[in-house]
Amino acid sequence: METMTKVRELTPDYRMRMAGNVARSENAVWQYQRMMVSGIIKKELSWDEIQSMKKRVERLAGCNKIWDTETYETSNVKVLLRTFLCKDKFCPNCQAVKRMVLWNRLQPYMEQHKDSLFHMTLTVPDCTGEEVYDTVRHMADCFKILVGYLEGNRKVRGKALFLFDCKGCFRSLEIKCKGENLYHPHFHVVAVLGNGDVLEDKHIVNEFSRSKGHDYRLFSDVEVTIQRLWWLLINGQRRSYHNIVENDSLGRYSCVIDKYQPDECERLIAYVVKGSPTVGLADEDFRTLYHTLQNYRQIQGYGDLYHVKSVEGTGDYSEQDYQALERYIINGEQPVCQYEGTGRLAYDNKYIMLRGKYQPRNLKH
């Protein structure tokens, strides 16, 4: 595997948003510090936890603040090569980078399967701060089993439960803080369904047909079946044909499936926490979510979408990248290499700003 560098121009608006994320990361630093001080005073943190949190604060405080740049003075061009990222779940900088990288990785799959993509939302009842840690992990385990039914690998009475051909899916956890120690975890899922026509016949009314802020809606047979199956999985009940299809005395949890729309990708790869990760987040919520999301995989692919994940790497310019740069550079000018602050770059209107973006490429022999 070799690396290549994609060159693209950064607009002033993009640079201002980048500087804004750096400023907002200070709020996350303060919340980590308050959580650490509170844990020390109440003797709730071990020595190792304190040292680990100190390192987190140090990394977050320096995240995306300094860039390695190449400056072409005569051409009035500045190329941003690389920066330090802390990769913290609550960092606005890293969340923005993660969204951008995942968007770029998802696009080829979205284009390839654009006629068979569906957006599914799976929910469970609200839970308390003491319950949310176990709840989201149980949801992940149950979803893995649900994927087996969707793909036809798990049978009911020796037959596949669903008629469509599920080639893969991609799920993302989102947690909404509702206040008063109450949390609403749910999954957003994009699924590739080969025979999604069975989802278009929506004719069933049930307890989820009317919800706050949404029009009265009908459900398909598939949605109602998944609602029951999801309830059985979450509650550890027997997944027999009778319980899934025939027994109306059992409960359901909400499942909504609609044709995927391109503008829904932002919702799929949104922040783990509803809204900006730290703005408006109470300290108690921050502490709860910090412990909840420790070593938790927020985004996971299955089937054809299993390998959708972020790419990291470094490398030199390729011949194509040099050709892209030559559109901006005068007479083969040599650059001046230096480190510069993000705040300064955001307000520097003297130069055309370019981003050298590293991506892997496969060598052909």
Side-chain angles (χ1 to χ4, degrees), residues 65-119:
K65 288 192 174 178
I66 301 294
W67 281 84
D68 182 7
T69 67
E70 292 180 346
T71 303
Y72 299 82
E73 288 290 349
T74 304
S75 308
N76 287 332
V77 168
K78 194 182 292 288
V79 182
L80 281 59
L81 293 178
R82 60 184 67 84
T83 186
F84 165 79
L85 294 174
C86 66
K87 301 180 182 179
D88 192 280
K89 289 180 183 289
F90 294 92
C91 173
N93 300 310
C94 296
Q95 289 288 348
V97 171
K98 177 189 262 188
R99 289 202 310 275
M100 180 182 68
V101 171
L102 283 173
W103 170 259
N104 291 332
R105 292 303 304 273
L106 276 170
Q107 281 301 94
Y109 294 94
M110 299 302 186
E111 185 63 28
Q112 179 183 352
H113 302 293
K114 61 183 179 181
D115 296 327
S116 54
L117 284 175
F118 288 83
H119 180 201

Side-chain angles (χ1 to χ4, degrees), residues 65-237:
K65 288 192 174 178
I66 301 294
W67 281 84
D68 182 7
T69 67
E70 292 180 346
T71 303
Y72 299 82
E73 288 290 349
T74 304
S75 308
N76 287 332
V77 168
K78 194 182 292 288
V79 182
L80 281 59
L81 293 178
R82 60 184 67 84
T83 186
F84 165 79
L85 294 174
C86 66
K87 301 180 182 179
D88 192 280
K89 289 180 183 289
F90 294 92
C91 173
N93 300 310
C94 296
Q95 289 288 348
V97 171
K98 177 189 262 188
R99 289 202 310 275
M100 180 182 68
V101 171
L102 283 173
W103 170 259
N104 291 332
R105 292 303 304 273
L106 276 170
Q107 281 301 94
Y109 294 94
M110 299 302 186
E111 185 63 28
Q112 179 183 352
H113 302 293
K114 61 183 179 181
D115 296 327
S116 54
L117 284 175
F118 288 83
H119 180 201
M120 178 192 307
T121 304
L122 291 167
T123 69
V124 296
D126 296 343
C127 56
T128 65
E130 294 74 29
E131 298 167 335
V132 66
Y133 179 95
D134 292 328
T135 297
V136 297
R137 281 157 178 78
H138 183 52
M139 287 172 64
D141 292 339
C142 292
F143 185 79
K144 189 183 300 184
I145 298 173
L146 177 62
V147 170
Y149 285 103
L150 295 176
E151 294 179 340
N153 297 324
R154 289 179 177 268
K155 312 291 185 180
V156 177
R157 288 185 177 178
K159 297 181 180 180
L161 186 60
F162 303 104
L163 298 178
F164 48 68
D165 178 21
C166 180
K167 299 182 182 299
C169 61
F170 185 83
R171 67 114 177 118
S172 174
L173 170 72
E174 187 175 344
I175 302 176
K176 182 177 181 180
C177 301
K178 303 184 74 171
E180 299 181 355
N181 195 35
L182 205 59
Y183 302 88
H184 178 59
H186 53 284
F187 284 145
H188 290 288
V189 183
V190 164
V192 182
L193 305 179
N195 181 23
D197 295 342
V198 295
L199 291 163
E200 296 181 3
D201 181 18
K202 297 179 183 287
H203 61 279
I204 300 174
V205 176
N206 64 20
E207 59 268 38
F208 304 113
S209 292
R210 185 180 296 276
S211 59
K212 185 177 180 180
H214 298 280
D215 295 333
Y216 194 80
R217 69 170 292 148
L218 301 175
F219 295 100
S220 64
D221 291 320
V222 172
E223 288 171 292
V224 171
T225 301
I226 294 178
Q227 288 171 358
R228 173 61 49 75
L229 180 57
W230 185 236
W231 184 91
L232 293 170
L233 287 166
I234 294 295
N235 289 283
Q237 300 295 312

Side-chain angles (χ1 to χ4, degrees), residues 260-329:
Y260 175 84
Q261 303 298 324
D263 59 357
E264 291 178 336
C265 195
E266 173 69 17
R267 198 178 343 174
L268 175 69
I269 55 178
Y271 291 118
V272 182
V273 184
K274 186 69 173 180
S276 182
T278 54
V279 175
L281 197 60
D283 286 351
E284 187 60 38
D285 290 334
F286 185 87
R287 283 193 291 270
T288 298
L289 293 170
Y290 168 78
H291 293 295
T292 296
L293 298 173
Q294 286 276 62
N295 302 317
Y296 185 87
R297 189 182 294 273
Q298 179 218 352
I299 293 171
Q300 178 66 56
Y302 300 85
D304 287 357
L305 302 184
Y306 176 76
H307 294 290
V308 177
K309 55 184 178 180
S310 61
V311 175
E312 298 174 6
T314 58
D316 298 324
Y317 289 131
S318 68
E319 185 62 31
Q320 288 181 331
D321 301 320
Y322 276 118
Q323 292 173 5
L325 278 173
E326 284 173 358
R327 295 191 291 113
Y328 299 94
I329 307 307

